[in-house]
Amino acid sequence: MLICPGARLAIDMLDEDVAAKSPAFERLLVQQALGLVDTFPGNDIDRAADVLLGIVSKDPQAKALVDRRIEQALAAQKRQALVAIRMLGTWADGVGATPAAARQRISRLAAEVRDDLKVGAARLAGLHRGLSSFATTPPPAAVRDPGKAITEFMRGTGYGADDTARAKRIFADLGRRSQEPSELADPDAQEKLVAVLDGLPAKDWPAGSAVYDQLVHWSERRPVATPEIEAWG
């Protein structure tokens, strides 16, 4: 999982119609924007899906690119599948050919989604009418505090006490959103945190998404790196 600044920039450019007069360039931006499928099914996916809908509705080649990436994500049966499901849910709430196709795809998905993804999918069900088929009775347990959910996952998957303690400090620093230098300026810390987020169970995507959003905010601030930061472990 990457912060994907290029993907977010591509969505901004598509939203501003920067490439409206150049279909080939527009498709390149679409391909770049699809990097968001490798992140988390957070709120930014709704905006990306809305922007992409405007493109795929008028360009069959761009639609083929998007459809192929969504099917790849669904077939992987990992967190990326939840991102694809959220995109389909955003489209399904609309009108037109693409939203109708999204509703048809969703109707088949309920039987295809693997058991370990069902809780994560159920958390999406309340966000879009078109995803109501993923709702469960009873509903999923309340979303846990991101820091607690992630550090609990770390303790249960072999991370040492030092790594877990350092992760807690980073979460606290991200949460403050201060301008002060952060331990996250260490590339090794960044790599390990990304690995932790990538390993989270799909049901805990809200926790991963919350930290991912903070990482995006941090990356846009570009804090100054400090040279003497100890590595995890």
Side-chain angles (χ1 to χ4, degrees):
M1 189 275 295
L2 302 174
I3 300 303
C4 297
R8 298 195 314 278
L9 177 59
I11 287 294
D12 290 341
M13 294 176 71
L14 290 168
D15 196 22
E16 294 168 5
D17 291 329
V18 169
K21 296 182 179 180
S22 175
F25 181 41
E26 194 167 60
R27 289 175 205 129
L28 286 175
L29 290 176
V30 167
Q31 199 156 23
Q32 185 74 27
L34 289 171
L36 288 174
V37 173
D38 292 319
T39 61
F40 281 87
N43 294 334
D44 58 333
I45 298 302
D46 290 344
R47 178 187 175 233
D50 282 334
V51 170
L52 290 173
L53 177 60
I55 308 299
V56 303
S57 296
K58 65 181 183 181
D59 184 349
Q61 292 184 52
K63 184 176 187 303
L65 288 172
V66 174
D67 287 347
R68 182 165 58 250
R69 186 66 189 93
I70 285 179
E71 289 303 321
Q72 288 171 346
L74 293 173
Q77 292 281 302
K78 296 181 180 179
R79 185 190 65 242
Q80 291 89 338
L82 297 179
V83 178
I85 288 171
R86 183 156 190 168
M87 291 182 73
L88 290 171
T90 304
W91 293 342
D93 288 345
V95 295
T98 298
R103 289 190 290 272
Q104 292 176 356
R105 187 67 184 95
I106 290 168
S107 69
R108 301 193 302 273
L109 271 175
E112 297 175 11
V113 171
R114 211 168 54 194
D115 286 348
D116 59 342
L117 289 178
K118 285 183 178 178
V119 174
R123 294 193 191 283
L124 293 171
L127 302 176
H128 294 286
R129 295 189 309 274
L131 297 178
S132 59
S133 58
F134 291 103
T136 58
T137 304
V143 174
R144 296 184 293 168
D145 172 79
K148 290 181 179 178
I150 294 171
T151 52
E152 181 180 307
F153 165 75
M154 291 179 69
R155 285 193 294 268
T157 50
Y159 284 89
D162 290 345
D163 282 356
T164 304
R166 192 175 192 197
K168 286 182 178 179
R169 293 195 300 272
I170 288 175
F171 296 148
D173 195 22
L174 285 169
R176 284 195 296 271
R177 298 192 176 193
S178 68
Q179 296 293 331
E180 300 173 1
S182 165
E183 287 187 88
L184 198 57
D186 178 4
D188 182 65
Q190 295 175 31
E191 183 178 347
K192 286 202 170 185
L193 182 54
V194 165
V196 170
L197 294 181
D198 264 344
L200 276 179
K203 66 182 178 62
D204 285 328
W205 70 258
S209 183
V211 175
Y212 168 77
D213 288 345
Q214 291 174 337
L215 283 172
V216 168
H217 177 83
W218 177 88
S219 72
E220 290 170 348
R221 289 194 282 116
R222 299 292 183 192
V224 178
T226 53
E228 297 179 1
I229 297 178
E230 108 184 287
W232 291 15

